[in-house]
Amino acid sequence: MLRDLDVIVPLWHAPPSMTPSAIVRECPQCSASIAADDRFVPWCPECEWNLRRPDSGRDAPTGRPGPLARLRKRLDARFAADLHRQVLGSGVGTPSRDPGRIAAYTLATLVHLFALTALVGGVWLLVASWPNPFGIVFGVAGVGFAYLARPRLGRLDRDVQHALTRQEAPVLYDLLDRVAREAGAPPVDVVLVDGDVNASFGTVGLRRTNVLTIGLPLWLALEPQERVALLAHEMGHSSNGDARRMSYVGSAITTLYEIHHAAARVRVGGGLRALVTAIAVNVLTGLVRLVVVGLIMVLESLTYRESQLAEYAADDRAARIASPVAVAGLMDKLITRAPAVRRHLESAAHRTGDLWEGLRRYLDGFPESEEERLRRLARLEGARVDATHPPTHLRKAFAVSRTYGTAAIATTDEEMDRVQAELERTGDRVAREIVDRAQAALYE
Ligand SMILES: [Zn+2]
Ligand SMILES: [Zn+2]
């Protein structure tokens, strides 16, 4: 039975032995001696032989990327480097005076006004021309379009997302209140705990509930002060109004996609008259689509730049609150531990025993050589949390460059232990979610 598992689970997924054995072998490329850990793929720090492990391209699309994808990647890297130079040189600036942000706001407002006009015009047509059939058709079309373009506020589904309440986690909420005050942010209303190797902040619903989501696996991979840095980063997003702005501009982009969808090409067919009509309609909708696609591209590129600037701004705030060292440490964990934890949890379906205990042992025995390999790989590939974030190694360099002194918020071991105990109340549920997800992925 164990043999079978060994075949299914690749070497680097194998459960960690208590004492990792270091084997010394010779690099096949430069003959330097490599001290390898038998649970991980060997690589050479001298000549970077095997830096990319054999399975790293597993999820990537097969074959070489096309010329367009390569160009895009190059432009992305150039853009990231330029923005990095800008924030290193002159800081994150005053976000509200950023010309890109003002342009995005203006364009989004025009789109929202357009949808509002459709609503008012539609209702007016219905009322004024009743019971004229043309009035009804265009009136309903206007109202229907406004419905599609309605602002999406998001909502908290308490049946699906389990909240950790203030009563259940008083020490965590206390710490959050302190961090929020220091960041100039309103208090967090709801804390959600999930199984992602991530954390996020959002504002949802008509009552604008402030929701902080903490991924338990990421939390476990961090040192105490790095956890404060993580909370401070998310509170930085809150005080900078990033979620609000993103949803304002984001819903304008959604509206534009709806228009693009509505202005679909009609099928040409039937008699001469139908043919002429269809061509005329297609020329018209084609023009609409062209304008809409142009607007989408402008708005998306503006938000692309903005969201990356927003990450730097949140990192800056976190550096002041939790210290630059803690933010740099957090970034380093995102580079080294986060991908390892993700891979470890993806194979949770093959494991038995306590998931968290297994993860803790895996992290305790995580070798420095594997961390170094992941650091070099992140630099090489410009690895990032996702497209809205600057490459993580650049964020780390930015954090290091901040000249803030000691942390504005420091915690005691006792406080962090209590926060830990409160978060672990969700441990069983979150572990079940992770195992379910890993098992579902097996059958996909
Ligand atoms: Zn070598
Ligand atoms: Zn962020």
Side-chain angles (χ1 to χ4, degrees):
M1 195 59 214
L2 246 173
R3 287 243 146 252
D4 289 347
L5 266 184
D6 282 342
V7 176
I8 298 166
V9 185
L11 185 64
W12 43 93
H13 283 166
S17 48
M18 291 307 281
T19 46
S21 53
I23 342 158
V24 177
R25 54 183 283 183
E26 194 178 271
C27 169
Q29 200 165 275
C30 75
S31 310
S33 57
I34 315 170
D37 185 307
D38 61 354
R39 299 165 303 157
F40 295 89
V41 171
W43 69 287
C44 174
E46 296 295 323
C47 69
E48 305 201 330
W49 165 78
N50 224 15
L51 185 69
R52 283 193 171 86
R53 65 210 290 165
D55 72 331
S56 65
R58 208 177 32 172
D59 303 327
T62 47
R64 273 168 67 79
L68 214 61
R70 280 204 304 277
L71 176 70
R72 213 200 138 105
K73 204 170 167 195
R74 246 204 331 271
L75 288 177
D76 271 357
R78 216 185 39 237
F79 168 81
D82 284 349
L83 187 66
H84 184 63
R85 217 169 298 124
Q86 183 195 321
V87 293
L88 277 184
S90 46
V92 288
T94 314
S96 57
R97 285 202 218 119
D98 184 60
R101 181 168 293 190
I102 295 167
Y105 252 119
T106 311
L107 262 180
T109 304
L110 287 177
V111 174
H112 290 313
L113 279 177
F114 181 72
L116 193 68
T117 309
L119 176 68
V120 174
V123 172
W124 177 80
L125 257 179
L126 278 173
V127 174
S129 66
W130 191 267
N132 182 317
F134 280 104
I136 294 175
V137 168
F138 285 103
V140 168
V143 173
F145 170 72
Y147 174 75
L148 288 178
R150 75 196 180 280
R152 263 78 163 178
L153 297 175
R155 70 196 198 94
L156 194 64
D157 193 344
R158 286 181 194 269
D159 294 333
V160 180
Q161 297 157 300
H162 297 269
L164 195 62
T165 63
R166 208 171 258 274
Q167 288 74 35
E168 289 169 311
V171 188
L172 171 64
Y173 274 88
D174 265 3
L175 174 61
L176 273 173
D177 287 348
R178 269 161 67 206
V179 174
R181 250 197 318 276
E182 200 61 53
V188 169
D189 299 307
V190 175
V191 175
L192 300 176
V193 185
D194 68 13
D196 287 343
V197 192
N198 208 341
S200 62
F201 176 83
T203 306
V204 298
L206 268 179
R207 269 184 290 161
R208 310 274 70 197
T209 309
N210 292 317
V211 183
L212 172 72
T213 307
I214 299 174
L216 197 52
L218 175 62
W219 186 266
L220 290 178
L222 301 178
E223 300 293 328
Q225 196 60 17
E226 292 164 358
R227 293 170 177 167
V228 177
L230 179 73
L231 300 180
H233 173 93
E234 299 305 334
M235 290 301 95
H237 279 311
S238 171
S239 62
N240 291 335
D242 296 334
R244 202 172 48 237
R245 191 179 59 259
M246 291 302 166
S247 77
Y248 187 79
V249 178
S251 68
I253 294 177
T254 310
T255 300
L256 289 169
Y257 274 109
E258 294 286 0
I259 300 177
H260 188 262
H261 192 69
R265 199 170 291 123
V266 295
R267 213 183 278 279
V268 177
L272 188 63
R273 229 172 117 177
L275 192 74
V276 172
T277 317
I279 290 172
V281 168
N282 279 342
V283 168
L284 206 69
T285 54
L287 282 174
V288 170
R289 278 204 307 277
L290 202 67
V291 172
V292 167
V293 166
L295 282 174
I296 290 175
M297 277 168 66
V298 170
L299 267 179
E300 281 187 342
S301 66
L302 284 173
T303 42
Y304 181 69
R305 177 178 175 283
E306 260 218 72
S307 59
Q308 305 210 12
L309 199 56
E311 293 306 327
Y312 280 124
D315 287 343
D316 184 67
R317 223 167 263 248
R320 185 174 61 72
I321 295 172
S323 85
V325 173
V327 179
L330 168 64
M331 294 309 146
D332 193 59
K333 293 286 172 15
L334 286 177
I335 290 169
T336 56
R337 299 296 173 97
V341 168
R342 215 165 274 133
R343 258 200 298 270
H344 183 81
L345 294 180
E346 274 167 14
S347 62
H350 301 296
R351 293 167 199 290
T352 51
D354 185 68
L355 181 91
W356 304 119
E357 191 44 48
L359 180 63
R360 219 165 268 135
R361 260 191 296 139
Y362 177 72
L363 288 175
D364 283 347
F366 204 73
E368 170 58 32
S369 69
E370 179 64 3
E371 287 189 346
E372 183 55 24
R373 188 185 71 83
L374 290 167
R375 268 182 213 119
R376 293 197 197 184
L377 199 61
R379 265 202 301 276
L380 195 69
E381 296 185 335
R384 41 178 87 194
V385 173
D386 64 34
T388 65
H389 290 65
T392 315
H393 74 282
L394 296 183
R395 291 174 67 194
K396 183 176 163 188
F398 173 71
V400 170
S401 79
R402 301 292 85 192
T403 49
Y404 299 114
T406 47
I409 290 187
T411 55
T412 60
D413 288 349
E414 196 230 335
E415 185 182 10
M416 275 326 232
D417 285 348
R418 287 174 66 191
V419 169
Q420 186 64 24
E422 289 173 353
L423 280 169
E424 277 173 3
R425 300 172 71 140
T426 64
D428 287 346
R429 173 183 58 76
V430 175
R432 220 171 309 121
E433 269 172 34
I434 291 171
V435 172
D436 286 351
R437 198 166 52 200
Q439 271 165 356
L442 285 183
Y443 298 108
E444 243 166 36

